Amino acid sequence: MKIVKEEIAIDNNRSFKVFSPRLKNYFYWHYHPEIELVYVEAINGIRHVGKSISGFVESDLILIGSNVPHLNFDYGIETDYQQIVVQLNNKFIENNIADVPEFLMIKKLLEKSYLGLSFYGKTKYKVAKKLKENNQDDPFASLINLIEIFQILACSTEFDTLNKDDTRIRFFLNDKIRMGTIYDYIHEHFDKSPDVNEVADMVHLSTPAFCRYFKKQTDMTFTSFVNSYRINQAKTYLLQEASITEVCYRVGYDSISYFNKLFKQLVGETPSAFKRRHSLKSKEQHTH
């Protein structure tokens, strides 16, 4: 699928929209002028915003600016998940925020959102709670709740900036290659041996041209992306109680030492430490 402009309909009596889309079986690489806040709860998933591609575990909270291309956050999720999406009217800043001095920090936050902001820690959990409590049947209370959410985000230091550069749509408009074709190929072959020559042929490019294209679009080599995708899948299997040896082979590696080394390099901890930490966290959540 080539990049798609999503047409968003927001009620004339509202300045934003809150909903829970379910698109897990659909590759939706898209953009829209509306600023978007996304919260997802899932065992594991893929986060692709602008040029940034990474994975998330358990939950994700992302603020995406106007016209920044992104993949639906439930793409490829094969387990239960919950998703809440907030989309702001195009004139939200102009009509509700811009001229109010008390909203200066929120205005700066929304202006910075074009880089893609990923929130974590206490900020993520506070905002998730408020999103779940949002009462859409009361428009005024819903708006106040949203303003409070943006103030929490604006005051937080618990966030990562996903893109170093501006990745708004003009960067991607000349993209004639189907990123969906590449994702589908990797999803089908990650446990075997994804072949760069094969995928280059599928998108009608020479291998060197494909490698240049892929690096330009994602800031990653094809090999790095495949490794990242495999390790992301490995996290899902580890959280489903599979053994480390079993997971290593299931995601296409034949060397456990290499798998352990790569996992630590990409995740920041070994597979056993990752498994142990999330197992403890799960037990704690069930006892509270």
Side-chain angles (χ1 to χ4, degrees):
M1 165 182 277
K2 291 180 184 175
I3 194 160
V4 172
K5 181 179 181 182
E6 182 182 2
E7 300 294 339
I8 292 172
I10 295 177
D11 191 313
N12 289 333
N13 299 319
R14 298 286 180 104
S15 54
F16 63 96
K17 173 182 177 181
V18 183
F19 66 119
S20 297
R22 295 189 78 81
L23 295 165
K24 64 178 185 175
N25 297 318
Y26 187 49
F27 180 92
Y28 193 37
W29 177 231
H30 65 292
Y31 68 99
H32 40 74
E34 294 79 6
I35 293 172
E36 182 171 273
L37 180 67
V38 181
Y39 176 70
V40 190
E41 280 181 8
I43 282 183
N44 194 31
I46 293 171
R47 176 202 299 142
H48 188 170
V49 177
K51 283 184 165 191
S52 170
I53 303 171
S54 49
F56 66 87
V57 174
E58 294 181 344
S59 62
D60 206 19
L61 178 66
I62 306 288
L63 183 62
I64 305 165
S66 173
N67 291 321
V68 174
H70 53 285
L71 182 61
N72 49 307
F73 288 80
D74 56 352
Y75 169 74
I77 291 178
E78 294 171 4
T79 52
D80 288 342
Y81 69 96
Q82 180 182 4
Q83 182 169 220
I84 302 172
V85 175
V86 179
Q87 293 171 331
L88 305 183
N89 181 294
N90 283 340
K91 294 191 174 179
F92 189 90
I93 296 178
E94 183 184 327
N95 292 345
N96 303 303
I97 301 291
D99 297 327
V100 183
E102 290 80 0
F103 291 161
L104 179 62
M105 289 181 73
I106 295 178
K107 183 185 174 197
K108 287 182 177 175
L109 169 80
L110 296 178
E111 286 172 346
K112 190 167 63 175
S113 65
Y114 75 94
L115 293 169
L117 306 175
S118 167
F119 293 86
Y120 55 86
K122 289 180 181 175
T123 301
K124 180 169 67 171
Y125 292 105
K126 272 189 207 168
V127 169
K129 187 171 184 289
K130 292 188 78 64
L131 281 170
K132 290 173 185 177
E133 291 168 350
N134 192 284
N135 179 11
Q136 295 177 68
D137 294 330
D138 183 338
F140 178 76
S142 187
L143 175 62
I144 296 303
N145 177 273
L146 186 65
I147 295 295
E148 288 174 349
I149 283 170
F150 282 133
Q151 184 66 8
I152 291 167
L153 297 177
C155 295
S156 176
T157 56
E158 295 179 308
F159 68 91
D160 293 320
T161 303
L162 297 179
N163 291 284
K164 296 174 190 160
D165 306 310
D166 186 351
T167 60
R168 281 174 280 200
I169 190 58
R170 60 180 175 270
F171 176 81
F172 292 89
L173 274 180
N174 294 325
D175 177 22
K176 299 291 187 285
I177 309 304
R178 301 185 174 193
M179 280 300 291
T181 302
I182 300 165
Y183 265 98
D184 286 346
Y185 174 82
I186 293 169
H187 186 67
E188 289 295 316
H189 295 84
F190 75 87
D191 56 340
K192 306 175 191 78
S193 296
D195 184 344
V196 69
N197 300 302
E198 200 173 315
V199 75
D201 189 54
M202 286 171 70
V203 294
H204 312 296
L205 287 175
S206 68
T207 300
F210 171 78
C211 290
R212 287 193 299 273
Y213 156 79
F214 194 83
K215 184 76 189 284
K216 186 182 175 192
Q217 293 293 314
T218 65
D219 281 341
M220 299 174 83
T221 64
F222 181 73
T223 302
S224 296
F225 180 71
V226 169
N227 280 331
S228 176
Y229 197 95
R230 282 172 155 174
I231 295 302
N232 207 46
Q233 293 296 325
K235 288 192 282 189
T236 301
Y237 298 145
L238 288 168
L239 293 171
Q240 291 174 330
E241 301 304 313
S243 73
I244 292 165
T245 303
E246 184 187 346
V247 170
C248 169
Y249 295 125
R250 276 178 77 179
V251 297
Y253 295 110
D254 54 15
S255 163
I256 293 169
S257 61
Y258 178 71
F259 170 69
N260 283 331
K261 181 182 173 185
L262 189 63
F263 192 99
K264 185 170 185 184
Q265 185 183 315
L266 294 177
V267 181
E269 60 188 340
T270 62
S272 54
F274 172 85
K275 193 176 171 71
R276 191 164 52 247
R277 184 164 61 85
H278 286 281
S279 174
L280 284 171
K281 197 179 286 186
S282 177
K283 283 175 187 170
E284 286 167 6
Q285 286 170 349
H286 283 109
T287 54
H288 289 306

PDB file of all heavy atoms in Angstrom, residues 103-116:
ATOM      1  N   PHE A 103      -2.220  28.428  28.522  1.00  0.00           N
ATOM      2  CA  PHE A 103      -2.030  27.235  27.700  1.00  0.00           C
ATOM      3  C   PHE A 103      -0.710  27.261  26.925  1.00  0.00           C
ATOM      4  O   PHE A 103      -0.525  26.475  25.992  1.00  0.00           O
ATOM      5  CB  PHE A 103      -3.183  27.087  26.700  1.00  0.00           C
ATOM      6  CG  PHE A 103      -4.509  26.744  27.330  1.00  0.00           C
ATOM      7  CD1 PHE A 103      -5.698  26.965  26.636  1.00  0.00           C
ATOM      8  CD2 PHE A 103      -4.590  26.193  28.604  1.00  0.00           C
ATOM      9  CE1 PHE A 103      -6.924  26.652  27.204  1.00  0.00           C
ATOM     10  CE2 PHE A 103      -5.805  25.871  29.178  1.00  0.00           C
ATOM     11  CZ  PHE A 103      -6.982  26.100  28.489  1.00  0.00           C
ATOM     12  N   LEU A 104       0.196  28.160  27.314  1.00  0.00           N
ATOM     13  CA  LEU A 104       1.445  28.313  26.549  1.00  0.00           C
ATOM     14  C   LEU A 104       2.228  27.003  26.444  1.00  0.00           C
ATOM     15  O   LEU A 104       2.725  26.647  25.373  1.00  0.00           O
ATOM     16  CB  LEU A 104       2.328  29.394  27.185  1.00  0.00           C
ATOM     17  CG  LEU A 104       3.683  29.635  26.487  1.00  0.00           C
ATOM     18  CD1 LEU A 104       3.473  30.123  25.050  1.00  0.00           C
ATOM     19  CD2 LEU A 104       4.524  30.634  27.270  1.00  0.00           C
ATOM     20  N   MET A 105       2.320  26.255  27.554  1.00  0.00           N
ATOM     21  CA  MET A 105       3.091  25.002  27.524  1.00  0.00           C
ATOM     22  C   MET A 105       2.423  23.971  26.614  1.00  0.00           C
ATOM     23  O   MET A 105       3.094  23.219  25.912  1.00  0.00           O
ATOM     24  CB  MET A 105       3.272  24.451  28.936  1.00  0.00           C
ATOM     25  CG  MET A 105       4.236  25.289  29.769  1.00  0.00           C
ATOM     26  SD  MET A 105       4.475  24.620  31.421  1.00  0.00           S
ATOM     27  CE  MET A 105       5.473  23.174  31.060  1.00  0.00           C
ATOM     28  N   ILE A 106       1.093  23.940  26.623  1.00  0.00           N
ATOM     29  CA  ILE A 106       0.370  23.013  25.745  1.00  0.00           C
ATOM     30  C   ILE A 106       0.602  23.400  24.289  1.00  0.00           C
ATOM     31  O   ILE A 106       0.821  22.538  23.427  1.00  0.00           O
ATOM     32  CB  ILE A 106      -1.141  23.005  26.074  1.00  0.00           C
ATOM     33  CG1 ILE A 106      -1.369  22.451  27.478  1.00  0.00           C
ATOM     34  CG2 ILE A 106      -1.907  22.174  25.038  1.00  0.00           C
ATOM     35  CD1 ILE A 106      -2.831  22.449  27.930  1.00  0.00           C
ATOM     36  N   LYS A 107       0.570  24.697  24.020  1.00  0.00           N
ATOM     37  CA  LYS A 107       0.812  25.169  22.648  1.00  0.00           C
ATOM     38  C   LYS A 107       2.193  24.717  22.161  1.00  0.00           C
ATOM     39  O   LYS A 107       2.345  24.213  21.049  1.00  0.00           O
ATOM     40  CB  LYS A 107       0.711  26.699  22.608  1.00  0.00           C
ATOM     41  CG  LYS A 107       0.878  27.280  21.199  1.00  0.00           C
ATOM     42  CD  LYS A 107       0.887  28.807  21.238  1.00  0.00           C
ATOM     43  CE  LYS A 107       1.195  29.360  19.860  1.00  0.00           C
ATOM     44  NZ  LYS A 107       1.604  30.762  19.899  1.00  0.00           N
ATOM     45  N   LYS A 108       3.200  24.866  23.021  1.00  0.00           N
ATOM     46  CA  LYS A 108       4.569  24.453  22.655  1.00  0.00           C
ATOM     47  C   LYS A 108       4.642  22.944  22.430  1.00  0.00           C
ATOM     48  O   LYS A 108       5.322  22.468  21.523  1.00  0.00           O
ATOM     49  CB  LYS A 108       5.554  24.880  23.745  1.00  0.00           C
ATOM     50  CG  LYS A 108       5.829  26.372  23.762  1.00  0.00           C
ATOM     51  CD  LYS A 108       6.846  26.716  24.835  1.00  0.00           C
ATOM     52  CE  LYS A 108       7.192  28.206  24.808  1.00  0.00           C
ATOM     53  NZ  LYS A 108       8.094  28.569  25.919  1.00  0.00           N
ATOM     54  N   LEU A 109       3.941  22.184  23.283  1.00  0.00           N
ATOM     55  CA  LEU A 109       3.909  20.720  23.136  1.00  0.00           C
ATOM     56  C   LEU A 109       3.331  20.335  21.777  1.00  0.00           C
ATOM     57  O   LEU A 109       3.919  19.530  21.042  1.00  0.00           O
ATOM     58  CB  LEU A 109       3.042  20.109  24.246  1.00  0.00           C
ATOM     59  CG  LEU A 109       2.689  18.626  24.067  1.00  0.00           C
ATOM     60  CD1 LEU A 109       3.841  17.740  24.503  1.00  0.00           C
ATOM     61  CD2 LEU A 109       1.420  18.266  24.840  1.00  0.00           C
ATOM     62  N   LEU A 110       2.186  20.905  21.428  1.00  0.00           N
ATOM     63  CA  LEU A 110       1.523  20.549  20.173  1.00  0.00           C
ATOM     64  C   LEU A 110       2.349  20.990  18.968  1.00  0.00           C
ATOM     65  O   LEU A 110       2.379  20.302  17.949  1.00  0.00           O
ATOM     66  CB  LEU A 110       0.114  21.150  20.127  1.00  0.00           C
ATOM     67  CG  LEU A 110      -0.859  20.619  21.194  1.00  0.00           C
ATOM     68  CD1 LEU A 110      -2.204  21.317  21.090  1.00  0.00           C
ATOM     69  CD2 LEU A 110      -1.029  19.113  21.099  1.00  0.00           C
ATOM     70  N   GLU A 111       3.052  22.111  19.102  1.00  0.00           N
ATOM     71  CA  GLU A 111       3.914  22.579  18.005  1.00  0.00           C
ATOM     72  C   GLU A 111       5.105  21.651  17.806  1.00  0.00           C
ATOM     73  O   GLU A 111       5.610  21.490  16.703  1.00  0.00           O
ATOM     74  CB  GLU A 111       4.389  24.011  18.280  1.00  0.00           C
ATOM     75  CG  GLU A 111       3.280  25.047  18.073  1.00  0.00           C
ATOM     76  CD  GLU A 111       3.688  26.446  18.520  1.00  0.00           C
ATOM     77  OE1 GLU A 111       4.722  26.580  19.228  1.00  0.00           O
ATOM     78  OE2 GLU A 111       2.963  27.397  18.173  1.00  0.00           O
ATOM     79  N   LYS A 112       5.568  21.032  18.908  1.00  0.00           N
ATOM     80  CA  LYS A 112       6.728  20.128  18.841  1.00  0.00           C
ATOM     81  C   LYS A 112       6.349  18.721  18.379  1.00  0.00           C
ATOM     82  O   LYS A 112       7.208  17.895  18.058  1.00  0.00           O
ATOM     83  CB  LYS A 112       7.375  20.067  20.236  1.00  0.00           C
ATOM     84  CG  LYS A 112       8.719  19.375  20.300  1.00  0.00           C
ATOM     85  CD  LYS A 112       9.436  19.633  21.626  1.00  0.00           C
ATOM     86  CE  LYS A 112       8.694  19.078  22.815  1.00  0.00           C
ATOM     87  NZ  LYS A 112       9.441  19.214  24.075  1.00  0.00           N
ATOM     88  N   SER A 113       5.044  18.446  18.321  1.00  0.00           N
ATOM     89  CA  SER A 113       4.572  17.081  18.058  1.00  0.00           C
ATOM     90  C   SER A 113       4.919  16.585  16.655  1.00  0.00           C
ATOM     91  O   SER A 113       4.812  15.394  16.380  1.00  0.00           O
ATOM     92  CB  SER A 113       3.062  16.987  18.283  1.00  0.00           C
ATOM     93  OG  SER A 113       2.360  17.782  17.350  1.00  0.00           O
ATOM     94  N   TYR A 114       5.366  17.486  15.759  1.00  0.00           N
ATOM     95  CA  TYR A 114       5.698  17.052  14.396  1.00  0.00           C
ATOM     96  C   TYR A 114       6.887  16.083  14.374  1.00  0.00           C
ATOM     97  O   TYR A 114       7.100  15.379  13.390  1.00  0.00           O
ATOM     98  CB  TYR A 114       5.983  18.265  13.490  1.00  0.00           C
ATOM     99  CG  TYR A 114       7.318  18.929  13.708  1.00  0.00           C
ATOM    100  CD1 TYR A 114       8.419  18.578  12.938  1.00  0.00           C
ATOM    101  CD2 TYR A 114       7.483  19.901  14.686  1.00  0.00           C
ATOM    102  CE1 TYR A 114       9.653  19.177  13.132  1.00  0.00           C
ATOM    103  CE2 TYR A 114       8.705  20.507  14.886  1.00  0.00           C
ATOM    104  CZ  TYR A 114       9.792  20.151  14.113  1.00  0.00           C
ATOM    105  OH  TYR A 114      11.018  20.737  14.306  1.00  0.00           O
ATOM    106  N   LEU A 115       7.642  16.023  15.477  1.00  0.00           N
ATOM    107  CA  LEU A 115       8.767  15.081  15.553  1.00  0.00           C
ATOM    108  C   LEU A 115       8.319  13.693  16.037  1.00  0.00           C
ATOM    109  O   LEU A 115       9.056  12.726  15.910  1.00  0.00           O
ATOM    110  CB  LEU A 115       9.848  15.630  16.487  1.00  0.00           C
ATOM    111  CG  LEU A 115      10.559  16.896  15.990  1.00  0.00           C
ATOM    112  CD1 LEU A 115      11.402  17.510  17.090  1.00  0.00           C
ATOM    113  CD2 LEU A 115      11.408  16.614  14.755  1.00  0.00           C
ATOM    114  N   GLY A 116       7.108  13.611  16.576  1.00  0.00           N
ATOM    115  CA  GLY A 116       6.626  12.359  17.165  1.00  0.00           C
ATOM    116  C   GLY A 116       7.172  12.215  18.571  1.00  0.00           C
ATOM    117  O   GLY A 116       8.385  12.157  18.758  1.00  0.00           O
TER     118      GLY A 116
END
